[in-house]
Amino acid sequence: MIGFSIYYTNEYYIEDNEAAIQANLDTWLNRPPSEELNPEVLEVKQIADTTSHIIFFQLDDGDFGYARLLKGLNGKFKIDHAGYGSGFLNSSYQVIETNKGEYLILYGENPDLTVDHVLATALSGEYDITFDISDDQRFLQSVKIPSDVERAFPVDLTFYDAGDNLIE
């Protein structure tokens, strides 16, 4: 029991504060053989009522990224994966497995608020989800994927303006 406690405390060690999260994200992203990255944490958001939290960050080159924090029983966090690099309109997505099912995470930038909403369609054809980003210069949103979906990843993102016109 003592061994498990020591392991668990060492596994979940990140304090729930901005400075600790920033410092640990820097360390995580700059593990060898990585190039030197300087992330700026923009937001940390819990995914619904789960133990997963998402760090939304931006790199010096303008790309956005995410990292998933898992909250342990001791109230502290650990980072278990991260990604960065942006697609169309400097945005991207990820499907995250949580203790309450899969969630689709959409993050990025909405320059000059030109995008009203984003349609995420699973390539499997099993679901589509609309994200309203009309009021967000930068956005981090998550939606639970229906539990009966077999292939949640990948998805196709389609961007629309307020007139429901496709943005290409």
Side-chain angles (χ1 to χ4, degrees), residues 2-163:
I2 292 172
F4 177 76
S5 294
I6 292 170
Y7 169 78
Y8 197 85
T9 302
N10 288 335
E11 184 82 6
Y12 292 87
Y13 61 90
I14 303 171
E15 296 286 336
D16 188 2
N17 66 62
E18 194 174 311
I21 291 170
Q22 178 71 58
N24 281 279
L25 179 62
D26 288 347
T27 301
W28 177 271
L29 292 178
N30 287 296
R31 296 173 298 160
S34 176
E35 70 264 23
E36 180 68 26
L37 299 172
N38 296 304
E40 176 191 352
V41 173
L42 302 172
E43 182 178 1
V44 178
K45 184 187 258 185
Q46 183 175 5
I47 300 175
D49 186 28
T50 71
T51 56
S52 295
H53 295 63
I54 298 296
I55 304 170
F56 177 42
F57 62 88
Q58 188 170 22
L59 299 174
D60 289 342
D61 66 3
D63 277 348
F64 291 100
Y66 78 96
R68 182 170 76 165
L69 290 170
L70 291 175
K71 190 170 197 172
L73 296 174
N74 62 358
K76 295 182 181 180
F77 295 102
K78 73 174 183 176
I79 297 174
D80 76 335
H81 68 266
Y84 57 89
S86 303
F88 184 69
L89 289 179
N90 207 13
S91 62
S92 195
Y93 74 93
Q94 185 65 37
V95 173
I96 302 287
E97 179 69 39
T98 74
N99 62 320
K100 303 277 175 96
E102 290 181 308
Y103 282 78
L104 179 61
I105 310 300
L106 180 70
Y107 61 92
E109 183 175 36
N110 186 2
D112 302 321
L113 300 177
T114 55
V115 179
D116 180 75
H117 60 282
V118 178
L119 178 63
T121 305
L123 294 184
S124 67
E126 295 180 88
Y127 70 92
D128 57 34
I129 297 171
T130 300
F131 293 90
D132 177 358
I133 62 167
S134 59
D135 296 328
D136 303 321
Q137 285 278 0
R138 294 178 177 152
F139 54 90
L140 170 62
Q141 294 187 19
S142 62
V143 173
K144 188 168 187 349
I145 296 170
S147 59
D148 62 341
V149 169
E150 291 184 29
R151 287 191 40 223
F153 186 86
V155 302
D156 183 39
L157 300 178
T158 311
F159 299 81
Y160 296 92
D161 66 17

